[in-house]
Amino acid sequence: MIQKLLIANRGEIACRIMRTAKSMGIATVAVYSDADAKALHTRSADEAVHIGPSPAAESYLVGEKIIAAAKAKGAEAIHPGYGFLSENAGFAQDVIDAGLIWVGPKPASIEAMGLKDAAKERMIAAGVPVTPGYLGKDQSLDRLTKEADAIGYPVLIKAVAGGGGKGMRKVDEPTGFEAALESCKREAKASFGNDEVLLEKWITSPRHIEVQVFGDSHGNVVHLFERDCSLQRRHQKVIEEAPAPGMDEATREEICAAAVRAAKAVDYEGAGTIEFIADASEGLRADRIFFMEMNTRLQVEHPVTEEITGVDLVEWQLRVASGEPIPLKQEELSINGHAIEARLYAEDPAKGFLPSTGRLDHFDLGHEGRIETGVEEGDEISPNYDPMIAKLITRGKDREAARELLLEMIHSGWVFPVKSNAAFLASCLNDESFMAADLDTGLIERGGEALTDIAVPNDALGAGALAYLEPHLPSKMLAPLADQAGQVRWAPAGKDSFNSMFGFRLNGAANRKVRLSVDGRAKTVDLDETGIQNPSQRNWRKKGVWVQKGESLSHYFAAESRIEGGSASAADGAILAPMPGKVIAVDVSEGDAVTAGQRLMVLEAMKMEHALTAPFDGTVTGLEASEGGQVQVEAVLCVVEPAGE
């Protein structure tokens, strides 16, 4: 058995691997960048090694530094986690050549499944059904355009070396193909060093079904049943569950058998996932489920499989890497209950899901279920890496029980001042289609604002208004008198009550309304309708923002944003950087005429591309950004003067 393990990763997956390793008596070594010097995974390991600057390309993606760190600390093995170098066959081979144990599949297996076009050809030979599309080596715009026309729109462009939703674009009509291809290739090149793509027919009612497989060096391969990962936003998984709702035993047997065949076709060892796309227009049927790709690593959503099978997949990885056989035979594995996982991200749904960075002054996720996280209260959410805060996992006797437990968990969560997608996750779990298990990968897109425009209950609105008003009113006017309903009337030390004086206007009706930004959206709070409620004990103020924790979700209040002192905002045509990042494309020049919604430039931050667009028709009168430049949050990048002015 391995005695000392280096984890070549960061955040929640590094902490997850450490937990199992320590339970097995294995010493752990962490690696960390400048940004992660005080990170939880760095603090949690038995030993830690600094490997470079904050950008991943200069630290976590530099294999030589990681191997050197393992040798310096006497680690026998390297576990790559997921992401970064986990599916890099060259790095895996370098680890083995250095005399270390690679906790993962053989480099040849990674290479065989690493390029999606070659993997599909191999699967066809193994008798695994694949999605119709184009796998050719001719990558010219002309050829790809013709192939897309032949397949029929909508089509899906996918980077052959892609994964995690990177380098993937759905194109609905021919006019958008060239721009989507350009963006896809650029993102693929930046993420994987390979800009080749393949094309697939877009499935009309797609469900994302994947099967967990596991192999060892003794020729054994088993499956641990399927997961449903259909709830996605921009090809990024949001909520995952196991087993897949609506999966009958006959279909399960066929899809899982196909997954085992796929793993055996590449002589697979360790944990892997065979991903399928299902045409669910007539329910889940074996003849309508097609191979998409294989992820030759542990998946982010592996906890739901662990919850329904009782298996620790990381323990299996470490045992198999040490030369042991898989601990259980296929007939010894079974499904027990239902599990659901939600990915809690540091992002603001009210602002197009832009990542939110900063210090977690308050961070409490309750104790209703399983939590996988790489941060604690007081830690920083860095702009350098993926913005996931935690994974929240619950298991119940059935799907509804697991769903209700997860909702309770999300409602009890407390993250401030960093914004999170908690309310969005709750909306997804409460969506009628989700509750009815009427799933497909377009569910969130169709839901649109209904899933992100979260209704704020009156008690939270009233408390938020109070948090705003309190510092602006004389203290003598703030003597609370609660009535039997729990609502608050305000009376001064003198004879006039707050309720009678607040909003007083000479020769006019009292104005008892407060204009606030609530959860990032402008809203007028009518105190006659909401009342002024007692604030929760969880009511904090930071940098002009008040947060109110009600009985369910957190809500954020601030004075409505206005243009003051000539400061720029989208309202006056100035395009501001929504977060720190790198400008990777500039599409306009000073003097250009632009139309509302036209892309002006692309900002890359937290491993994602963010297009910045013109707020209205006009002319570019100022351009402060250049391709390749680093920018800070709220820096003015471009100014558009409205047409006709």
Side-chain angles (χ1 to χ4, degrees):
M1 176 58 64
I2 296 166
Q3 297 300 308
K4 182 180 280 192
L5 175 71
L6 182 141
I7 297 110
N9 219 296
R10 65 175 301 280
E12 59 89 13
I13 186 56
C15 294
R16 160 74 187 93
I17 294 165
M18 285 176 197
R19 187 171 66 247
T20 289
K22 289 183 177 182
S23 73
M24 298 173 68
I26 299 172
T28 58
V29 180
V31 291
Y32 66 92
S33 68
D34 289 347
D36 283 337
K38 297 181 180 180
L40 180 60
H41 80 275
T42 307
R43 305 194 304 265
S44 301
D46 296 309
E47 299 177 83
V49 181
H50 177 250
I51 56 170
S54 300
E58 300 175 49
S59 51
Y60 294 108
L61 288 172
V62 183
E64 295 87 349
K65 292 183 178 181
I66 292 169
I67 292 172
K71 287 191 167 185
K73 293 298 182 180
E76 305 159 67
I78 292 179
H79 193 309
Y82 50 71
F84 292 142
L85 297 172
S86 62
E87 293 183 284
N88 187 309
F91 176 64
Q93 189 62 57
D94 289 343
V95 170
I96 295 168
D97 291 345
L100 302 172
I101 297 171
W102 169 252
V103 183
K106 290 178 288 191
S109 300
I110 298 175
E111 192 169 5
M113 286 300 202
L115 297 179
K116 292 178 171 57
D117 51 354
K120 284 196 168 188
E121 291 171 355
R122 189 179 290 266
M123 292 302 99
I124 292 170
V128 178
V130 302
T131 313
Y134 172 69
L135 309 175
K137 293 298 182 183
D138 186 346
Q139 293 284 301
S140 66
L141 174 62
D142 182 62
R143 179 61 184 273
L144 292 171
T145 301
K146 288 179 179 177
E147 292 292 343
D149 290 339
I151 293 168
Y153 287 87
V155 298
L156 189 64
I157 307 173
K158 295 173 69 173
V160 299
K166 304 292 190 304
M168 186 182 299
R169 300 289 187 276
K170 178 194 174 191
V171 188
D172 291 308
E173 54 188 26
T175 54
F177 184 80
E178 184 175 352
L181 178 64
E182 173 195 337
S183 176
C184 185
K185 280 179 166 288
R186 182 174 57 244
E187 188 173 80
K189 183 69 174 178
S191 299
F192 314 111
N194 184 339
D195 68 354
E196 291 187 21
V197 300
L198 58 82
L199 305 178
E200 286 182 353
K201 175 65 179 174
W202 178 261
I203 304 298
T204 305
S205 300
R207 280 180 65 178
H208 185 130
I209 308 291
E210 60 187 35
V211 177
Q212 178 73 60
V213 294
F214 218 103
D216 63 25
S217 59
H218 303 274
N220 302 306
V221 179
V222 300
H223 68 79
L224 292 94
F225 310 102
E226 82 284 350
R227 300 185 286 255
D228 191 304
C229 306
S230 297
L231 245 67
Q232 302 179 8
R233 192 187 68 82
R234 296 179 183 172
H235 305 296
Q236 291 278 5
K237 298 167 186 174
V238 176
I239 292 175
E240 302 105 338
E241 55 186 309
M247 179 71 75
D248 62 80
E249 285 301 323
T251 303
R252 173 174 292 125
E253 185 175 341
E254 288 201 40
I255 189 176
C256 290
V260 169
R261 289 198 304 274
K264 287 183 175 180
V266 292
D267 194 21
Y268 200 78
E269 296 178 14
T273 305
I274 311 297
E275 302 202 0
F276 296 90
I277 190 77
D279 180 351
S281 56
E282 298 181 18
L284 292 178
R285 288 172 31 184
D287 62 347
R288 289 174 175 261
I289 300 178
F290 308 101
F291 170 86
M292 286 197 301
E293 62 188 11
M294 182 178 192
N295 286 311
T296 52
R297 54 173 168 80
L298 199 66
Q299 289 280 90
V300 177
E301 58 273 18
H302 75 272
V304 293
T305 293
E306 294 183 325
E307 290 296 315
I308 66 166
T309 61
V311 167
D312 184 329
L313 290 173
V314 175
E315 179 182 344
W316 277 28
Q317 284 186 301
L318 296 173
R319 292 193 179 282
V320 165
S322 298
E324 297 182 14
I326 296 171
L328 296 176
K329 294 180 172 58
Q330 188 67 66
E331 58 270 21
E332 296 176 298
L333 292 163
S334 60
I335 296 173
N336 180 19
H338 196 99
I340 307 179
E341 172 181 300
R343 301 188 187 190
L344 184 70
Y345 279 101
E347 60 187 13
D348 189 353
K351 295 182 178 178
F353 292 89
L354 287 174
S356 177
T357 60
R359 187 174 184 271
L360 285 167
D361 288 344
H362 301 284
F363 181 56
D364 179 7
L365 297 179
H367 306 283
E368 298 296 326
R370 174 176 170 177
I371 299 169
E372 298 288 354
T373 185
V375 292
E376 291 181 324
E377 191 166 276
D379 287 349
E380 292 278 337
I381 300 296
S382 168
N384 295 290
Y385 312 113
D386 186 274
M388 187 163 64
I389 300 174
K391 300 183 305 195
L392 312 179
I393 307 104
T394 55
R395 183 176 69 86
K397 60 182 177 60
D398 54 30
R399 185 174 188 266
E400 180 58 19
R403 187 190 71 86
E404 290 179 354
L405 285 171
L406 187 53
L407 271 173
E408 291 177 19
M409 195 176 187
I410 291 170
H411 286 160
S412 67
W414 182 233
V415 180
F416 175 70
V418 172
K419 301 289 181 65
S420 83
N421 65 337
F424 168 70
L425 294 174
S427 291
C428 290
L429 291 169
N430 279 323
D431 180 81
E432 290 184 3
S433 294
F434 180 83
M435 289 192 290
D438 182 13
L439 307 173
D440 66 69
T441 57
L443 189 152
I444 288 176
E445 184 179 354
R446 289 194 304 275
E449 288 190 5
L451 295 175
T452 57
D453 190 9
I454 310 301
V456 184
N458 279 347
D459 59 346
L461 284 175
L466 172 60
Y468 169 73
L469 290 169
E470 190 170 9
H472 301 291
L473 296 174
S475 58
K476 68 179 183 178
M477 296 180 69
L478 297 176
L481 298 173
D483 62 20
Q484 292 183 347
Q487 196 158 336
V488 175
R489 292 178 295 108
W490 297 93
K495 61 182 179 180
D496 293 319
S497 72
F498 172 75
N499 272 348
S500 65
M501 293 297 294
F502 177 70
F504 172 78
R505 297 171 66 188
L506 188 65
N507 297 323
N511 179 16
R512 300 165 59 81
K513 298 178 181 179
V514 179
R515 186 72 175 170
L516 296 174
S517 169
V518 183
D519 292 340
R521 292 182 172 88
K523 186 174 182 63
T524 299
V525 180
D526 189 331
L527 298 178
D528 286 325
E529 294 181 1
T530 64
I532 302 180
Q533 305 290 334
N534 265 322
S536 160
Q537 291 182 346
R538 287 184 164 184
N539 183 297
W540 280 289
R541 179 195 313 271
K542 184 173 182 178
K543 294 182 179 178
V545 177
W546 300 265
V547 62
Q548 165 67 30
K549 179 70 170 70
E551 293 182 359
S552 56
L553 296 163
S554 303
H555 300 284
Y556 296 81
F557 298 82
E560 184 188 359
S561 59
R562 299 180 186 278
I563 303 169
E564 297 178 358
S567 64
S569 74
D572 64 356
I575 308 302
L576 309 183
M579 70 199 78
K582 178 180 179 181
V583 178
I584 61 172
V586 177
D587 302 319
V588 294
S589 300
E590 196 164 333
D592 285 358
V594 295
T595 57
Q598 179 179 334
R599 195 179 83 176
L600 305 174
M601 61 190 67
V602 180
L603 184 67
E604 183 181 60
M606 284 183 156
K607 299 167 65 177
M608 297 293 289
E609 289 189 5
H610 304 276
L612 304 180
T613 60
F616 37 64
D617 294 351
T619 303
V620 177
T621 58
L623 188 61
E624 304 297 328
S626 59
E627 187 171 326
Q630 293 285 341
V631 298
Q632 296 302 312
V633 63
E634 295 187 352
V636 178
L637 306 180
C638 179
V639 178
V640 178
E641 182 177 330
E645 293 189 4

